[in-house]
Amino acid sequence: MFANMAKHFWNLPFCIVWFSLLLFGAPFLILSGNTEIVFSPFLFGSIIFLEKSGRAAAIAGGVSIGLAAEINYISVFSIFLPAIYLAFQRARKSPLDVFLTALGTIIGFIIPLLPYLFVEKSVFLHYIGMQRLYLGHYGASPQERLQSIELFLLLFLCFAPIIFVSLKNCTKSPQRVALIWTLSGVVACCVSGHPFRHYFLLVLIPLSLLIASQWKTLPLRMFWISLAPAILLAGYGTIHDISHNLKLYCRIQGMDFPALHRMIGKTPVLNIRASHVPFALADLQSQTPFLFRHHVRILYGDNARAWYGQELARTPRFVMTSPQLCMPPLDMPEICAFISERYRLLRTENDEFGFALYERKPG
């Protein structure tokens, strides 16, 4: 979709955009299902609308930003600089357009929430409360934030040559917007505060547009030389991820998730530091919606143990933990003692997405 938009609206070669995303995105988990690749067409759509004149286009551009923000809040930081650049250009002709874009952003953010407001209001309120609590505790430590800045700047250096040689050729508006969007992605990565490599897609996605715009502009030799560091990084990422995914696929096939579903069915399962993958692949119901492996620690910090104890007090029929949770050295001895006393072990899988499944003892 993104490559088609680039071809239709910016007249960029489809194959260059598509292959840039696929190949250069290998080190950044581009096929992993993270939201960065999902909201990118909405951000690109907002730019396309904001480049057009008219009040309807101003509102539509804002709605696209709002929809992207609903998918992931970090998209706002990713689109911030190009949105400001385009809004400034529009403001010189029609200051009202800036207000309409802001209004459209609010509308776009609210639209996906409307069904929950009218149909499942309790679910909506629970979700909003959880989001507020989660985001309030999501901030990274100074050390982790420094690590993330170091990582993203190092990755940025691999793509710096193509950006540098593009600076002289950014004579047209789409090229300037792609460059500004790329730089805004760097800011978004640093704002994230966490050294997760898939965040670099915030840079790579607009950068694919910049690469495609230079395909016919730069001399062919200079084009490939400027991409050489990125190609080496992509080669390593491709080989590593293909090998990792093939091994992971074989291990997952041996875990027999259909049997796990037949064993549990739709009975709610309490998750204590287990991966979300068994829940997804075995179609299990979590006793604590929206909360998985690391979320509880982020939300409650040192009180995470007390929270797990509170959930165990509800005596769920099934409890799924990480396979190492109750192996020495014990991190939560009181939780493991409770499980040992009142539950029996049904199944254990020692793997990246492994688990220990317990069932409540009769009586």
Side-chain angles (χ1 to χ4, degrees):
M1 182 187 296
F2 188 85
N4 266 313
M5 293 170 70
K7 177 183 179 182
H8 183 75
F9 294 102
W10 277 15
N11 196 29
L12 296 177
F14 172 92
C15 290
I16 301 299
V17 177
W18 194 85
F19 276 110
S20 294
L21 287 173
L22 182 65
L23 298 180
F24 294 130
F28 314 118
L29 309 174
I30 197 164
L31 299 181
S32 64
N34 284 299
T35 57
E36 283 72 16
I37 199 66
V38 179
F39 65 64
S40 60
F42 291 98
L43 294 187
F44 196 11
S46 70
I47 289 175
I48 291 168
F49 282 121
L50 292 178
E51 286 180 324
K52 298 180 180 296
S53 59
R55 294 176 180 177
I59 295 176
V63 169
S64 295
I65 294 174
L67 291 172
E70 184 63 64
I71 297 171
N72 192 322
Y73 304 137
I74 202 170
S75 63
V76 176
F77 295 98
S78 176
I79 200 64
F80 182 74
L81 293 182
I84 291 294
Y85 171 75
L86 293 171
F88 179 76
Q89 288 190 325
R90 297 181 72 95
R92 290 185 296 179
K93 299 178 181 178
S94 174
L96 179 62
D97 283 5
V98 178
F99 169 77
L100 293 176
T101 300
L103 178 63
T105 302
I106 297 172
I107 293 172
F109 187 80
I110 291 175
I111 285 175
L113 303 176
L114 292 178
Y116 292 96
L117 283 172
F118 293 105
V119 180
E120 294 286 353
K121 194 170 184 178
S122 61
V123 174
F124 170 76
L125 294 176
H126 181 48
Y127 171 76
I128 292 298
M130 196 67 70
Q131 283 283 298
R132 182 186 59 80
L133 190 61
Y134 181 78
L135 291 173
H137 293 83
Y138 190 68
S141 64
Q143 182 180 3
E144 191 176 15
R145 187 170 292 279
L146 180 60
Q147 289 175 348
S148 70
I149 293 174
E150 292 173 349
L151 171 66
F152 295 131
L153 289 181
L154 179 64
L155 295 173
F156 182 77
L157 287 176
C158 294
F159 293 91
I162 186 66
I163 295 175
F164 179 77
V165 298
S166 300
L167 288 174
K168 296 180 179 180
N169 298 308
C170 288
T171 55
K172 298 180 181 179
S173 179
Q175 293 172 331
R176 286 196 296 268
V177 172
L179 179 61
I180 294 170
W181 189 4
T182 301
L183 297 177
S184 192
V186 176
V187 175
C189 286
C190 295
V191 167
S192 71
H194 297 278
F196 302 148
R197 54 189 172 123
H198 69 269
Y199 279 164
F200 197 75
L201 291 176
L202 298 170
V203 177
L204 180 65
I205 289 168
L207 185 59
S208 67
L209 301 175
L210 193 63
I211 292 172
S213 71
Q214 301 306 310
W215 170 250
K216 294 181 179 179
T217 304
L218 289 173
L220 197 59
R221 186 163 177 260
M222 181 177 291
F223 178 82
W224 289 114
I225 289 175
S226 62
L227 282 175
I231 291 172
L232 292 175
L233 179 65
Y236 168 79
T238 302
I239 295 170
H240 174 274
D241 281 10
I242 288 177
S243 173
H244 171 80
N245 290 344
L246 288 175
K247 293 176 183 177
L248 184 61
Y249 175 79
C250 293
R251 295 201 303 267
I252 285 179
Q253 291 303 303
M255 294 176 75
D256 196 3
F257 287 111
L260 185 63
H261 177 77
R262 290 193 297 270
M263 186 185 302
I264 299 174
K266 294 297 183 179
T267 306
V269 181
L270 174 60
N271 181 340
I272 302 181
R273 294 188 181 176
S275 169
H276 62 283
V277 172
F279 283 82
L281 297 184
D283 191 23
L284 305 181
Q285 301 297 315
S286 173
Q287 178 175 306
T288 56
F290 316 127
L291 292 178
F292 282 96
R293 179 183 286 176
H294 303 298
H295 296 169
V296 175
R297 178 182 55 80
I298 293 172
L299 281 170
Y300 301 109
D302 294 336
N303 295 321
R305 298 179 185 182
W307 186 88
Y308 284 126
Q310 174 183 301
E311 291 299 314
L312 274 173
R314 297 168 58 184
T315 62
R317 181 182 171 187
F318 294 102
V319 175
M320 183 178 287
T321 72
S322 61
Q324 300 83 20
L325 182 73
C326 292
M327 296 175 63
L330 298 180
D331 183 37
M332 296 193 292
E334 65 283 358
I335 298 297
C336 291
F338 187 94
I339 293 175
S340 177
E341 178 185 347
R342 305 196 183 189
Y343 288 81
R344 62 187 180 93
L345 182 64
L346 292 181
R347 180 177 168 183
T348 303
E349 294 284 354
N350 292 301
D351 209 327
E352 180 180 355
F353 301 131
F355 57 87
L357 177 66
Y358 300 87
E359 184 179 23
R360 189 178 65 237
K361 294 176 181 179

